[in-house]
Amino acid sequence: MARREFLTGNEAMAEAAIAAGLKVFIGYPITPASDLFEYLAEKLPEHGGIVFQGEDEIASINALVGAVYAGAKAMTATSGPGFSLMAESLGLAAMVEAPIVIVYNMRTGPSTGIATGTGQGDVMQSRWASHGHYMDVVYAPWSVQEAYNLVIKAFDTAWRLRVPTIVLGDTILAHTRELVVAYEPGEVKVADRKPPREPPGQFKPFKPDPDDLVPPMAFYGEGYAVLVESLAHDERGYYTTNPKVYEALVRRLEEKVMKNKHLVAQSDSRMAEDAETLIVAFGTLARSALALVKDLRKQGKKVGLWRPVSIWPLDEEGLVKAAEKASRVIVAEMNLGQLYREVARILAPLGKKVELVPVLSPELPGPDELLDYFEKAGVRI
Amino acid sequence: MTLEIIIAGRGGQGILLTGYLLGKALVKKGYYVVNSEMYSAETRGGFSRSDLIVFPSEAEMDIIKVRKADIAIFMYRDQMISYADYVKPDAQLVILDSTFIDKPAKPWPKVLMVPFTRLAEEKVGTYRVANVFMIGVFSYVTGLIDPDTMKEIIKTSVRPKWVELNLKAFDAGYEYAKENLERLEIKL
């Protein structure tokens, strides 16, 4: 039955993972993700799961790939510096189509930055950290309840599409406490792998279904020959340098997500219908942006908010629709323009003016301070 | 209506626990509550601040930190001075621990000065539960929190060996308020 809890973002994301069927958590402590780890260390064994501390983030993500191939729903939690270490095997997970989930709480960078400060500087890193062309899915919650919901959604996406899926939070979200409607394991529906349909001798571990481009998955120990090949591979999982096989593989890794984009891409529009000015913001900063929009509305200004819930892929159609009536679009984010470039690209064919309000601060600005950043950037409403 | 509450004092005064307990009680009442914390690196003696924003429903939720508080609770003079600007000039209620505060930092219209720390020592036997004594007073004065609900929350939120002491502190605060203070109509 649904419970009304009063949880921090990290506690809520841990609870969501348990509800989604988490069985293995492997991680390495880092601010602001350590308390999620500690919470699960206490709680997950009560639900028959295992919590393990790797010797570092590299070992942790590699073990996670092993865990999902053994059939367990598996997750890690980290922050920017830890994610940088995980970058190589994020690509591994994408290449071998391992459905891992990563909670990624952003703090202030670059490098170890201000360890206790919040940030939004990892929009690009969450998508392009690893080498080569690959795909992952990134959700960016703005509230504790949404963090809870999106962790469940992340497990669903990861297992449905066999793609590494990230929930991109931040320091503020991790430690802020809010009302959460939470559920027990079994009360939420999360996709499972598609099991092999052929007998062991005929099964090909990377042969996709034509409809969704996702290959059925065999686990270790089920009697199938499961090859987990990080090199370019054919449908059998054998290394190949064949250009055509390579192209088909890399294209499919992206297309399996883009073809199923309607299951993944989400956004939220507030007061956008008649907005002449559209503010774009995501994560906890969007909370301040929403309050600012309400203030400006009270002054009679036609301002709206568009907020991506999934950042990769973005709900491009949702953005175009929200920006329809707007003569200007302003992107406010806690970096020097990462989401901004995507928004400008998407709206360029419509001839919209897209402006940037960069916020570089280890603290989350409230609506009044956010307005100061607008002024500082020379953006007047 | 949204209600913004700021609670601040020195590290060690139980400010963060106070925010948690009040927030949880308001969640139980059906409100959408946001609680954020700020504190200095020292465990004792530094500053400690807990913000509560109470929204009627999730649909109305926006800010995470207090802009201008409708209710302020200051348990120590330095933090009252630091955060006085975060309180509305016409705040519904300002609660001050007069053990450490001799006068309000601003001419707020409704100020309640109670020596929580001294009274906790006298009536419960230790100044350590001054925060929960204050919650007892708050519960009676504001009418926002049902005393039985709060006692249930204390039982599940405080370490088992301190539960009795905290329940005693809550009751002592509630009784003190009933005998000495007026009830207010807090708008929410």
Side-chain angles (χ1 to χ4, degrees), chain A residues 166-248:
Chain A
I166 293 165
V167 178
L168 192 65
D170 60 43
T171 304
I172 301 297
L173 184 78
H175 296 147
T176 294
R177 214 173 262 287
E178 290 186 90
L179 165 67
V180 180
V181 178
Y183 296 88
E184 298 300 323
E187 288 182 340
V188 295
K189 216 167 153 40
V190 174
D192 253 311
R193 57 127 185 206
K194 285 184 288 184
R197 283 184 287 270
E198 297 89 358
Q202 292 161 32
F203 174 69
K204 291 178 181 166
F206 292 99
K207 186 185 174 196
D209 280 344
D211 57 336
D212 64 0
L213 305 180
V214 180
M217 188 177 186
F219 294 145
Y220 292 138
E222 290 184 317
Y224 295 89
V226 183
L227 269 178
V228 184
E229 177 58 88
S230 66
L231 288 161
H233 47 266
D234 61 19
E235 291 181 346
R236 298 169 302 165
Y238 289 14
Y239 171 48
T240 177
T241 56
N242 181 320
K244 278 186 183 149
V245 174
Y246 167 76
E247 186 186 350

Side-chain angles (χ1 to χ4, degrees), chain B residues 17 28 36 55 64 124 127 134 142 150 153 161 167 171:
Chain B
L17 179 64
K28 287 245 184 234
S36 61
F55 298 97
I64 292 175
V124 194
Y127 66 91
M134 189 283 295
T142 65
M150 182 50 81
I153 291 167
K161 70 175 195 180
L167 290 175
D171 283 335

Side-chain angles (χ1 to χ4, degrees), chain A residues 1 84 143 153 167 181 192 197 288 292 302 304 320 355:
Chain A
M1 228 183 67
S84 294
S143 73
K153 174 93 179 164
V167 178
V181 178
D192 253 311
R197 283 184 287 270
S288 302
L292 179 59
K302 288 190 173 169
V320 167
E355 297 160 90

Side-chain angles (χ1 to χ4, degrees), chain A residues 337-358:
Chain A
Q338 296 187 17
L339 182 64
Y340 164 73
R341 289 181 172 83
E342 278 296 288
V343 172
R345 173 186 67 75
I346 294 162
L347 297 178
L350 281 79
K352 301 281 181 194
K353 187 180 173 194
V354 182
E355 297 160 90
L356 171 68
V357 173

Side-chain angles (χ1 to χ4, degrees), chain A residues 311-333:
Chain A
I311 295 213
W312 304 105
L314 274 176
D315 178 12
E316 301 194 11
E317 296 76 16
L319 172 60
V320 167
K321 192 165 171 283
E324 224 163 27
K325 295 234 168 64
S327 58
R328 60 199 291 221
V329 175
I330 301 160
V331 183
E333 56 183 325

Side-chain angles (χ1 to χ4, degrees), chain B residues 19 36 42 54 61 83 107 115 142 153 157 168 188:
Chain B
S36 61
E42 313 90 320
V54 189
M61 159 281 265
Y83 300 123
T142 65
I153 291 167
S157 307
K168 211 174 141 192
L188 191 88

